[in-house]
Structure formats: C-alpha cells, structure tokens
C-alpha cells in the first residue's frame, strides 16, 4: 500500500532564538511571520488528519506503525524519530526509525537495535519474569541508554504509548539543532501522535480477539453438531412401552447424556444366517425388537466443551460395556474402572443411572452411580417410588462397588429419568424447582395424559413457567419419559 504523503513544514524560528533584536522587527516582517506560522499550522493539521485517515483505513498494523516516527518528526520539525514497542509477554522490540538517509541513519538504526536487546537482557537477568517492575526498569534503562548514545548535543524527547494505563512502548524524537527548544506545543503534538499509536495497537488486538472468538465459535458449532448426532435422533420403538426424550443444553455444548441401547440376547449366528444375508438382517432385527433395551441417563460435572468431551467418551465406553452382557451393577463397575484415570486427571466426575428393560418379563433392572433417582408412578396405586441403589460417582474411586435392583412394571406405570438441571432450575427469587415440585407435576401429568410425549412437554412447560417465560436455564436439562402400554409384547 502506498504510504500517505506527509508535507514537511518550514523551520520554526519562533521556537528558536529569533536572531534579531525586537526593535528590528518591522510590520512587514511580522506579517510575513504570521503568514508562515499559519501555513505551518495548516501543514501540521493536514498531517494529523492524514494520520487519522490512515488509522481508519489501514488493516495492517505494521504499515501504520511505519508512519509514526515520520509523522512525529514532521509535526515537531526534528531530525528523526524512533518507535520502540513493549509486547505483553515482556519483549522489548525496536519497531521503526525515521531519519535522513545516510551512514549516520544506518548507524543509529543498528545502535537502537543493540540498545533494545541490551535492555531486555540486562533487566531479565536482574528481575526475571515480566512484570510491571520489569516494564518500569526497561523504560528507565531505555531512556538512559538512548540519551547516552545520542550524546549531550542532541535534544531527545520521549513519551509513553499508553494503553489502558499500561505502557506499551516509547516514541522518541531528536534534533541536532543546538537552538532547538522543546516547547509545550511540540510536546503536546508528540503525545498526540503517541495516543494515535496506542489506538492502532488497541484496534489490532481487538481484531485478533474477535477473529479468535469467531474461530472458537465455529469450533463450538461443530462440537455441538457432533454431540447432537451422538444423542438419539429419535426414540426407538420398544415393544410394550412408549418413550420420549429431550435434552436442552445451557450452552451450545453440554454435559448431559441419555441413550437407548439395544441388547441382543444371542450373539452366536447360525450357519444359514451367515450364508443368507437377508435372513441374517431379518433375524437380527427380530432379536433386537424382542430383546432387552438399555435406557441410560448421565450428567458430567460442569458444562460446556470439557463436559461435552467427557460425555462423548462416556457414551462410547458404556456402549462397549453393554456388549459384554453383564449385569447393570457390573457394567457400572467396569465403566468406572476404565474411566477412572481419565476423569481423575480432568478433576471431573460423572453421575449415571443405568437400566435394562426386558419386554418379555416386563422387569426393569437398574443400578445407580449417584445420579438423581428416576421417579416411578405406579398406576394401580397412584403412588410414586424412587428408583435408587447404592453407588459412587463414576471416576471418584477406582474400586467402587455398585448395587442393583429390579422392579416389576404394569400397564400405565410411568418412569421419568432426569438430570439435576431440572430440579435445580431457579426463578428470579432464587427458589429452585426441586424434586417436590417435579414429583407433584409428574403425578398430575400421569393422571391426565396417556402418552410419554405429552407428559414430557407438560413437565418442560412447568419448569419454564417456574423460571419465567423467556429466561434461559442455568444448566443442561434432560428428561426421558417411559410409559408401559401393554404386557403383550406389542406396542
């Protein structure tokens, strides 16, 4: 990009010794001097306006920084300028130099590079890690070495580049003219250029942060899509029962988990099934339709991406354990032992309720790893029962033991599996929905609705009304509803 041209103002004898007696100043000379000062002031304003235009237009910070020593030199009518930046990690870097071309300029550039490296090395050896004290020492040492190198005959002025009250660099200008004076107006101009530099640095850092946020947002969208695909897309058709499920995450990626896993009773294939693929597929479908189903719900401590990753790991390992056809308690015991090392390193745990429903016997076998116990509404007695067993969190102790239990189900019996996001949902007063409200709402729904989806929708509506319409849940919230429709083995 072609740099914006900057006009060079004429010398400022008014800021130096005038060189003539005041009695010699004629009206004509005074008028010419006023005209010259007016032109000079206009040139300065034009340069500062051009710098503002560059600040708004340049997308590359380094291109903008190349202009800073040049503008600082022109507006103060000095011989040269230098820009030194302090990076957030403590690095001190000579950024840019402007002076008249020639051997003296090249020597000055090399000297400034040596000075900045020397300052960093000297301060680092003394103070160690980067800190505010490190920054103050760097500034003092840099000013001192710059003055010593340029010598007493050179007029040097430096001003800080401040960003949120933190010094992010130094802007220097220097003149070899022995009559040069650092007037208040010149100091104000150099500080104005330094402020423009700080704005450019802040804008660049903000752009980088926004780009990083956009990248993370894209990754979160991908993670949320993957997680959504891992959850059941639709509830399975299980003989004799009706199921419905919904998971709402507090953020795009959540730590709640539920699954329906078919468990085939006879993994051994007959010879004619292997020879006849169509017969094999039909037989497998028949076995799944008539076999046991695992219904599971879990909750990873926390939410967001870390919880979502652990949820994905839990799902894969649990599905692998189900294939071993162990009892519910043994499945949780093996899962805990396998996941212990990874969970221990992550300082997170998983609550999990695992159950198996047998359509032939209508018995639900289950084991609980410290999850919220599901609620069973028994149609015959219009009463509620908590399904719970002894068991620790997954990942808390590698040698944890888990108990299991069974319950006989009858037509009309309904079970809800839920995560603590349901009972912990809070309204604006800070009151929680809690298990008591959930139990009352669940019992009413079972008495007034005949299918699982209607019960699920009613419970979600009750929670939303409790926390306030339009308010978001503070945690992931998941609910699975299972209702027994018949004991004939037909849905």
């Amino acid at each position: 990009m072609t740099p914006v041209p900057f006009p060079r103002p004429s010398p400022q004898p008014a800021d130096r010794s005038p060189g003539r007696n005041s009695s010699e100043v004629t009206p004509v000379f005074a008028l010419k001097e006023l005209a010259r000062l007016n032109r000079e002031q206009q040139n300065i304003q034009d340069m500062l306006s051009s710098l503002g235009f560059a600040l708004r237009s340049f997308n590359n910070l380094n291109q903008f920084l190349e202009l800073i020593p040049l503008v600082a030199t022109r507006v103060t009518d000095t011989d040269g300028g230098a820009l030194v930046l302090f990076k957030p990690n403590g690095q001190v870097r000579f950024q840019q130099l402007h002076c008249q071309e020639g051997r003296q300029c090249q020597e000055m550039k090399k000297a400034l590079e040596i000075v900045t490296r020397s300052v960093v090395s000297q301060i680092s050896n003394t103070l160690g890690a980067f800190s505010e004290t490190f920054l103050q020492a760097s500034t003092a040492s840099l000013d001192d070495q710059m003055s010593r190198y340029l010598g007493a005959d050179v007029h040097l002025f430096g001003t800080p580049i401040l960003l949120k009250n933190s010094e992010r660099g130094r802007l220097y200008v220097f003149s070899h003219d022995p009559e040069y004076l650092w007037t208040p107006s010149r100091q104000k101009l150099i500080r104005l250029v330094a402020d423009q530099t700080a704005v450019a640095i802040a804008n660049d850092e903000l752009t980088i942060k926004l780009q990083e946020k956009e990248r993370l947002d894209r990754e979160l969208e991908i993670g949320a899509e993957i997680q959504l695909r891992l959850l059941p897309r639709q509830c399975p058709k299980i003989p004799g029962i009706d199921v419905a499920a919904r998971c709402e995450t507090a953020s795009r990626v959540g730590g709640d988990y539920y699954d329906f896993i078919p468990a085939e009773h006879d993994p051994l294939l007959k010879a004619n099934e292997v020879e006849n693929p169509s017969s094999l597929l039909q037989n497998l479908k028949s076995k799944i339709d008539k076999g046991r189903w695992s219904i599971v719900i879990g909750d990873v401590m926390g939410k967001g991406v870390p919880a979502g990753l652990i949820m994905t790991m839990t799902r894969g390992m649990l599905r692998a354990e189900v294939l071993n056809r162990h009892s519910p308690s043994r499945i949780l015991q093996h899962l805990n032992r396998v996941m212990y090392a990874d969970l221990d390193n992550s300082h997170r745990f998983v609550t999990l309720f695992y159950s198996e429903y047998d359509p032939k016997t209508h018995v639900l076998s289950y084991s609980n790893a410290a999850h919220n116990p599901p609620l069973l509404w028994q149609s015959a007695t219009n009463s509620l029962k908590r399904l719970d067993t002894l068991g620790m969190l997954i990942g808390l102790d590698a040698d944890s033991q888990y108990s299991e239990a069974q319950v006989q189900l009858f037509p009309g019996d309904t079970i809800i599996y839920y995560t603590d996001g349901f009972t912990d949902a809070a309204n604006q007063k800070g009151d929680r929905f809690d298990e008591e409200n959930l139990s009352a709402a669940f019992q009413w729904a079972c008495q007034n609705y005949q299918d699982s989806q209607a019960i699920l929708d009613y419970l979600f509506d009750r929670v939303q009304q409790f926390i306030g319409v339009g308010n978001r849940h503070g945690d992931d919230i998941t609910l699975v509803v299972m209702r027994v429709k018949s004991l004939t083995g037909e849905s």
Side-chain angles (χ1 to χ4, degrees), residues 156-352:
L156 175 69
F157 182 80
T159 189
I161 297 171
L162 297 175
L163 184 58
K164 294 181 180 179
N165 297 322
S166 175
E167 188 168 351
R168 299 296 298 275
R170 302 284 289 179
L171 177 59
Y172 295 100
V173 284
F174 48 86
S175 174
H176 295 85
D177 189 341
E179 297 182 355
Y180 190 88
L181 297 176
W182 281 115
T183 63
S185 61
R186 284 171 170 164
Q187 295 183 31
K188 183 177 180 180
L189 287 171
I190 193 65
R191 291 190 180 101
L192 180 60
V193 176
D195 289 342
Q196 294 283 70
T197 307
V199 172
I201 294 173
N203 289 345
D204 183 70
E205 292 180 352
L206 179 60
T207 299
I208 293 174
K209 289 180 180 179
L210 289 175
Q211 292 173 346
E212 178 66 13
K213 182 180 182 300
E214 290 175 356
R215 183 186 67 81
L216 292 176
D217 286 344
R218 288 194 298 271
E219 292 182 357
L220 282 175
E221 289 176 1
I222 295 173
E225 182 180 353
I226 292 174
Q227 186 180 44
L228 184 62
R229 291 179 179 273
L230 291 178
L231 293 175
R233 295 187 179 181
Q234 59 185 14
C235 294
K237 294 182 179 180
I238 302 175
I241 65 173
D242 173 36
V243 291
R246 187 193 302 178
C247 175
E248 294 183 358
T249 58
S251 56
R252 276 175 287 186
V253 181
D256 279 9
Y257 158 64
Y258 72 92
D259 205 356
F260 305 100
I261 310 170
E264 189 192 342
H265 284 291
D266 184 9
L268 299 178
L269 301 178
K270 297 179 181 179
N272 65 330
E273 291 177 341
V274 177
E275 295 173 358
N276 189 345
S278 61
S279 174
L280 170 61
L281 291 175
Q282 185 175 2
N283 201 0
L284 285 176
K285 185 178 183 300
S286 174
K287 288 177 178 179
I288 290 176
D289 287 345
K290 295 181 181 179
R292 292 174 293 115
W293 278 84
S294 298
I295 304 172
V296 58
I297 190 168
D299 186 4
V300 180
M301 180 184 294
K303 50 183 177 289
V305 174
L309 292 173
I310 294 177
M311 183 278 279
T312 303
M313 178 178 67
T314 304
R315 176 189 182 275
M317 291 185 174
L318 179 61
R319 279 182 164 251
E321 282 296 331
V322 170
L323 294 177
N324 294 326
R325 299 171 55 199
H326 292 300
S327 66
S329 60
R330 184 65 61 87
I331 286 176
L332 289 188
Q333 182 178 344
H334 289 175
L335 179 68
N336 174 69
R337 190 170 297 167
V338 171
M339 295 185 63
Y340 173 76
D342 291 330
L343 292 176
D344 185 52
N345 292 332
S346 69
H347 304 290
R348 293 177 183 269
F349 308 102
V350 178
T351 66
L352 197 70

Side-chain angles (χ1 to χ4, degrees), residues 69-80:
L70 169 63
V71 175
T73 299
R74 295 290 177 84
V75 299
T76 56
D77 191 28
T78 50
D79 296 328

Side-chain angles (χ1 to χ4, degrees), residues 26-36:
T26 65
V28 174
F29 176 82
L31 186 61
K32 290 182 178 180
E33 185 67 12
L34 286 174
R36 184 194 63 77

Side-chain angles (χ1 to χ4, degrees), residues 17-85:
S17 300
R20 60 171 67 209
N21 193 294
S22 59
S23 61
E24 299 176 355
V25 178
T26 65
V28 174
F29 176 82
L31 186 61
K32 290 182 178 180
E33 185 67 12
L34 286 174
R36 184 194 63 77
L37 290 175
N38 183 67
R39 288 194 303 271
E40 178 183 292
Q41 187 68 25
Q42 186 62 45
N43 287 338
I44 291 175
Q45 291 178 359
D46 290 344
M47 282 186 287
L48 293 178
S49 296
S50 298
L51 185 63
F53 175 79
L55 178 62
R56 297 189 302 271
S57 305
F58 284 11
N59 294 324
N60 188 307
L61 177 64
N62 289 330
Q63 286 183 331
F64 180 80
L65 294 180
E66 289 176 2
L67 302 176
I68 298 303
L70 169 63
V71 175
T73 299
R74 295 290 177 84
V75 299
T76 56
D77 191 28
T78 50
D79 296 328
L83 177 62
V84 179
L85 295 183

